[in-house]
Amino acid sequence: MLLRAPSAAISVANSRGENLVPLFSASSSSSSSILRLSPVRNGGGLIVSASKGSNTRPLTGVVFEPFEEVKKELSLIPTAPQVSLARQKYSDACEAAINEQINVEYNVSYVYHSMFAYFDRDNVALKGLAKFFKESSEEERDHAEKLMEYQNKRGGRVTLESMIKPLCEYDNEQKGDALYAMELALSLEKLTNEKLLHLHKVAEENGDVQLTEFVESEYLGEQVEAIKKISEYVAQLRRVGKGHGVWHFDQMLLHEGA
């Protein structure tokens, strides 16, 4: 591709406004802008002014060609319709780790949904806990969907696995259902955090800076906050025992954020 650059004729004006010999000029068949330096009225210094000239000429020898690296990349762009065009420096290990994390998030969401169904029963009737676990289930599903979107963005393929059947009963003779379910939730959040750290490690080992940044900015900080929050709930439920205090705790959850 030939670059045609319009030339500029630059002249310096003396204190009487008389133009001196142009410092630079070129001409061609098309018009160009000419820059002139003129003295500032009622004071010293110069000002720049532009005027159209009638002569410009192409700057020969200025030819832009793709860099050798770009030529190499062009040859690597796939032509098969089933192959991603967006994929670049995205290893199979990172793709597999993303799919594993998607499966983790969906399984945790499934367990939380089961907890919601349990506490929403008429003979359990802890609406605050039901609300909390329903929101937790939706949040984990959102995390899975965000990972799926990222997988597609990097040119990977989303692969969903079968989910394990969760518990349907959460009553516990020693702890009671509320404390037992909340301790299970804390264990699930810590498991999720361990899996996220593994995903981050895989990204680091494969030199995928973009994936490490994605995990750090979207998941790791939020996961620490969730672990802290549920840890406090476990501590509170251990204090109140299995009796009337559970109802007060449930009411707190029910009206939290209202």
Side-chain angles (χ1 to χ4, degrees):
M1 178 177 67
L2 179 63
L3 175 67
R4 294 182 178 273
S7 62
I10 303 177
S11 301
V12 178
N14 59 19
S15 59
R16 296 186 300 277
E18 298 172 348
N19 290 325
L20 302 179
V21 179
L23 298 177
F24 171 79
S25 65
S27 62
S28 74
S29 57
S30 60
S31 62
S32 66
S33 296
I34 301 173
L35 298 179
R36 285 187 171 84
L37 302 174
S38 303
V40 178
R41 187 176 300 176
N42 299 326
L46 298 173
I47 60 171
V48 179
S49 61
S51 63
K52 265 192 175 179
S54 57
N55 295 319
T56 60
R57 59 190 173 92
L59 297 176
T60 57
V62 182
V63 179
F64 286 113
E65 294 179 340
F67 298 104
E68 291 303 318
E69 293 84 354
V70 175
K71 288 182 180 179
K72 181 180 178 182
E73 291 296 331
L74 286 172
S75 66
L76 295 176
I77 294 178
T79 57
Q82 70 273 16
V83 179
S84 169
L85 295 171
R87 187 164 187 149
Q88 183 185 29
K89 303 192 183 302
Y90 189 51
S91 68
D92 292 340
C94 290
E95 180 181 4
I98 285 279
N99 281 328
E100 180 182 352
Q101 190 64 35
I102 291 170
N103 192 53
V104 169
E105 302 285 349
Y106 267 128
N107 271 279
V108 174
S109 174
Y110 203 28
V111 175
Y112 283 153
H113 221 173
S114 176
M115 291 180 180
F116 153 72
Y118 172 84
F119 287 105
D120 191 54
R121 293 180 191 174
D122 66 284
N123 59 332
V124 179
L126 291 172
K127 296 293 185 180
L129 283 159
K131 171 176 172 276
F132 173 78
F133 287 123
K134 181 179 181 181
E135 291 173 350
S136 298
S137 176
E138 292 170 349
E139 182 178 4
E140 298 303 323
R141 189 170 67 248
D142 289 343
H143 288 174
E145 290 177 359
K146 189 180 292 184
L147 286 162
M148 293 168 76
E149 290 172 358
Y150 184 83
Q151 184 81 291
N152 287 334
K153 187 181 296 183
R154 293 296 302 276
R157 291 292 181 91
V158 173
T159 304
L160 299 179
E161 303 292 342
S162 300
M163 290 190 290
I164 300 173
K165 179 181 177 181
L167 296 174
C168 296
E169 302 293 332
Y170 294 93
D171 195 15
N172 184 279
E173 185 176 351
Q174 289 78 31
K175 300 179 179 181
D177 49 10
L179 176 57
Y180 176 67
M182 199 61 73
E183 286 183 344
L184 178 57
L186 179 58
S187 299
L188 288 170
E189 293 298 327
K190 288 186 175 182
L191 172 63
T192 302
N193 191 49
E194 285 290 336
K195 296 295 185 180
L196 285 168
L197 292 174
H198 171 70
L199 173 60
H200 188 273
K201 182 179 179 181
V202 172
E204 281 187 327
E205 289 174 347
N206 288 271
D208 198 324
V209 179
Q210 291 161 324
L211 180 54
T212 56
E213 191 278 332
F214 172 73
V215 175
E216 290 169 3
S217 61
E218 298 291 338
Y219 293 95
L220 294 185
E222 182 179 329
Q223 201 62 35
V224 170
E225 294 293 334
I227 291 172
K228 173 64 161 56
K229 181 179 180 179
I230 297 177
S231 295
E232 292 174 348
Y233 289 165
V234 169
Q236 291 166 3
L237 285 168
R238 285 177 177 176
R239 286 180 178 274
V240 303
K242 297 189 294 181
H244 189 67
V246 173
W247 183 85
H248 285 285
F249 177 85
D250 183 75
Q251 291 295 299
M252 178 200 70
L253 289 181
L254 184 61
H255 300 293
E256 190 174 52

